[in-house]
Amino acid sequence: MSTLTTLASGQLLAQEETLSTHVGNPWANIGIFLVFVCITLWLVLRASKNTKTAADFYAGGRSFSGTQNGVAIAGDYLSAASFLGIVGAIAIYGYDGFLYSIGFLVAWLVALLAVAEMLRNTGKFTMADVLSFRLKQRPVRIAAAASTLAVCVFYLLAQMAGAGALVSLLLGIDSRAGQSLVITVVGMLMIVYVFIGGMKGTTYVQIIKATLLIAGTAVMTVWILALFGFNFSEVLGQAVEVSGEPGLLEPGLQYGADFMTKLNFISLGIALVFGTAGLPHVLMRFYTVPTAKEARKSVVWAIVLIGAFYLFTLVLGFGAAALLTPEQINNAPGGQNSAAPLLAYELGGTLLLGLIAAVAFATILAVVAGLTITASASFAHDIYGQVIKKGQIDSKGEVRVGRITVIVVGLLAIAGGIGAQGQNVAFLVSLAFAVAASANLPTILYSLFWRRFTTRGALWSMYGGLGSSVALIFFSPVVWGAPTSFFPEIDLALYPLTNPGLVSIPLAFFLGWLGSVTSKDNEDPAKQAEMEIRSLTGVGAEKAVEH
């Protein structure tokens, strides 16, 4: 181990000058990424020829198999936070950083057991289809669309911040203006993908991206283990030695022993575990398969691929800690988010870095495309088609409005990403999970499993969960007063925790119950019975999705 330590230290010293500006050959990095963009754009253009109806644009014509959709779900779910943020968090915080991986993976059990098949049986294109099935259409759709748009915006901030961090490292663009330009280019590419290809084109991008990401991380994982004789204990031992942090393998580096830090950890864990089942862009993927059986199959495939990936992040994170110093990671232009690209360069030089960088870019593009089409469907289908036009709109008109929405959401994402530069992307995604778990999950579970649930309960739960989570984030150290805050110089933080889940999720469940038991309205019992039978058996689901 001492020989490896000496070798790594020598390499770090020799490369320190290079890493302060950029890693590898910027032109090679750009070239490999452009190859990926050209291939995926070609696929999107091909997909656009078959994107004519709303079912094509939002659900890919329901033509994907469970296996294809499972890979695409993995592509949608394994975001820049998973790749860049978690590897960086493990490299710096060790055990505490791996908690993100555990939370993101365990969350899939909630999605699989509680919502996947039932949503596919009950809905049409969006989460609002399910929530409004047996309740009053107009107010519930408006609330569901608002929560969907809020979650998508929070998630998009993380992806755009990841794009800025990655490119600043690869191209040596340290200035805020330069990174802002990069975020703008990524955002425009995303708009093109979704505008032209819809869900079908987006799915192809996600399948390619998931394959590349898992293959790339698998290669790096085997490479790291091979350096240490396939002895993971050696990796851990050198990580502790190089980092100079004896507690790297124990809890407490990020979430320490004091009471407030423990509360922060509990709040984060609750948000991660319950967030996936409320993420609208993940839920929307269940509508791209033809049957409930294929929906179940797709979730199983997704769990296998996602589980393998998060095991890889454990090796990559501690491998980065073993081969790179904390100063090298923290002082890189992208901060913690740079750990994975720096590790790729350390292992395989410019070529491996270029490939991993292209994969990371693909990751960002695929996820933002999925988020954008979800936001587009929510507005065009739920607000414009069902609320404003009251269902009196043809398929082509709905697609036209959806494409306009894509442009608006894309521009908002670009603006937000420019403002979120420098934040750890895994942390930003945890906020999106908290908003999803607060605003969406209670209403979804109540709608599917509680017969006495009413429109008032749905509105109180969604608006209460959304409002409380966003307000707590706004008045927390995430925004004010801390060194990593959006406004570090001004301390207006009233809520002491960095994640709102501990308060906002139980509050949303409580408001859903309180609104229902105090409501004098009796919802349609026939609709309740139909939803219960359809969600459990799938009978009638195919008729409901015909155009």
Side-chain angles (χ1 to χ4, degrees):
M1 187 167 72
S2 58
T3 305
L4 278 168
T5 305
T6 305
L7 174 63
S9 300
Q11 289 173 331
L12 295 180
L13 289 171
Q15 295 169 2
E16 188 173 342
E17 192 71 31
T18 304
L19 292 170
S20 63
T21 54
H22 61 262
V23 182
N25 185 321
W27 294 108
N29 298 336
I30 294 173
I32 295 173
F33 174 59
L34 287 178
V35 170
F36 169 83
V37 170
C38 291
I39 293 172
T40 50
L41 274 177
W42 176 73
L43 285 171
V44 166
L45 287 169
R46 284 196 61 185
S48 68
K49 296 176 182 178
N50 298 319
T51 302
K52 297 179 176 65
T53 67
D56 293 330
F57 190 73
Y58 299 135
R62 307 187 202 283
S63 59
F64 292 100
S65 69
T67 303
Q68 290 174 318
N69 195 48
V71 178
I73 288 174
D76 220 349
Y77 192 69
L78 298 176
S79 64
S82 299
F83 186 43
L84 301 177
I86 291 178
V87 172
I90 295 174
I92 299 300
Y93 300 116
Y95 180 97
D96 283 7
F98 188 54
L99 294 174
Y100 282 103
S101 291
I102 296 170
F104 287 145
L105 179 57
V106 170
W108 263 106
L109 297 177
V110 180
L112 172 63
L113 297 174
V115 300
E117 181 181 351
M118 290 183 168
L119 277 170
R120 168 61 188 79
N121 290 342
T122 312
K124 185 176 180 181
F125 297 137
T126 66
M127 179 184 70
D129 289 328
V130 178
L131 302 185
S132 63
F133 189 95
R134 62 184 179 90
L135 305 176
K136 292 182 174 61
Q137 291 274 323
R138 183 183 176 88
V140 173
R141 282 190 181 276
I142 292 172
S147 68
T148 296
L149 292 169
V151 173
C152 289
V153 167
F154 269 100
Y155 220 123
L156 282 167
L157 291 183
Q159 305 312 312
M160 292 302 191
L166 184 65
V167 176
S168 66
L169 177 74
L170 299 177
L171 306 184
I173 301 174
D174 296 332
S175 70
R176 191 174 182 86
Q179 290 187 38
S180 299
L181 178 62
V182 168
I183 289 172
T184 303
V185 171
V186 170
M188 297 307 294
L189 263 177
M190 165 195 73
I191 291 171
V192 169
Y193 278 141
V194 182
F195 188 92
I196 296 175
M199 177 59 88
K200 190 168 285 189
T202 300
T203 300
Y204 287 136
V205 174
Q206 287 163 341
I207 290 172
I208 293 172
K209 165 256 169 155
T211 305
L212 290 174
L213 177 62
I214 293 171
T217 51
V219 167
M220 289 177 66
T221 298
V222 173
W223 198 323
I224 290 168
L225 292 174
L227 283 177
F228 292 88
F230 290 94
N231 186 342
F232 188 53
S233 294
E234 291 285 321
V235 180
L236 297 177
Q238 181 158 319
V240 172
E241 188 175 332
V242 172
S243 68
E245 184 53 72
L248 194 71
L249 308 183
E250 301 171 3
L253 272 186
Q254 186 174 12
Y255 301 102
D258 63 277
F259 179 70
M260 292 308 298
T261 312
K262 288 180 178 178
L263 280 183
N264 248 328
F265 166 65
I266 294 171
S267 189
L268 170 69
I270 292 173
L272 294 183
V273 169
F274 290 112
T276 297
L279 287 175
H281 70 293
V282 173
L283 299 178
M284 191 173 173
R285 291 231 56 91
F286 297 132
Y287 302 126
T288 65
V289 291
T291 65
K293 180 182 177 182
E294 292 297 316
R296 290 195 301 274
K297 183 179 177 182
S298 65
V299 177
V300 172
W301 268 100
I303 287 177
V304 170
L305 295 173
I306 291 167
F309 174 83
Y310 283 129
L311 287 176
F312 295 155
T313 62
L314 180 65
V315 178
L316 295 179
F318 282 111
L323 298 174
L324 306 165
T325 65
E327 292 76 20
Q328 190 178 4
I329 295 171
N330 286 323
N331 294 336
Q336 288 180 31
N337 302 320
S338 303
L342 288 173
L343 177 62
Y345 185 64
E346 188 74 20
L347 292 173
T350 300
L351 180 60
L352 183 60
L353 171 70
L355 292 171
I356 295 301
V359 167
F361 269 121
T363 299
I364 292 166
L365 279 173
V367 174
V368 296
L371 288 163
T372 304
I373 198 164
T374 302
S376 166
S378 183
F379 180 81
H381 176 65
D382 295 323
I383 300 296
Y384 188 79
Q386 301 299 319
V387 175
I388 297 175
K389 290 293 186 178
K390 299 180 181 178
Q392 304 301 310
I393 183 173
D394 63 11
S395 185
K396 290 182 180 178
E398 197 169 300
V399 171
R400 184 170 60 251
V401 175
R403 284 182 164 142
I404 294 170
T405 309
V406 166
I407 297 173
V408 175
V409 171
L411 294 176
L412 287 174
I414 291 169
I418 291 171
Q421 291 178 54
Q423 295 284 325
N424 181 289
V425 289
F427 170 70
L428 285 173
V429 164
S430 73
L431 298 182
F433 271 59
V435 176
S438 305
N440 297 338
L441 183 63
T443 312
I444 291 172
L445 294 180
Y446 280 143
S447 293
L448 293 173
F449 297 107
W450 189 26
R451 292 183 181 181
R452 293 183 57 198
F453 192 51
T454 66
T455 299
R456 177 191 282 184
L459 297 178
W460 284 19
S461 177
M462 281 190 283
Y463 284 128
L466 176 62
S468 61
S469 58
V470 172
L472 290 174
I473 290 171
F474 183 78
F475 289 107
S476 76
V478 173
V479 179
W480 310 100
T484 56
S485 301
F486 283 87
F487 303 103
E489 306 299 326
I490 308 170
D491 189 1
L492 297 178
L494 303 177
Y495 176 67
L497 305 181
T498 56
N499 193 290
L502 186 63
V503 175
S504 58
I505 296 172
L507 177 63
F509 274 104
F510 172 74
L511 289 174
W513 170 82
L514 183 64
S516 296
V517 298
T518 59
S519 175
K520 295 179 181 179
D521 294 333
N522 292 318
E523 305 299 341
D524 186 351
K527 275 289 186 183
Q528 292 177 16
E530 182 187 349
M531 181 173 181
E532 184 174 5
I533 292 170
R534 200 165 109 181
S535 65
L536 292 172
T537 66
V539 173
E542 292 310 306
K543 180 181 178 182
V545 298
E546 286 176 3
H547 243 297

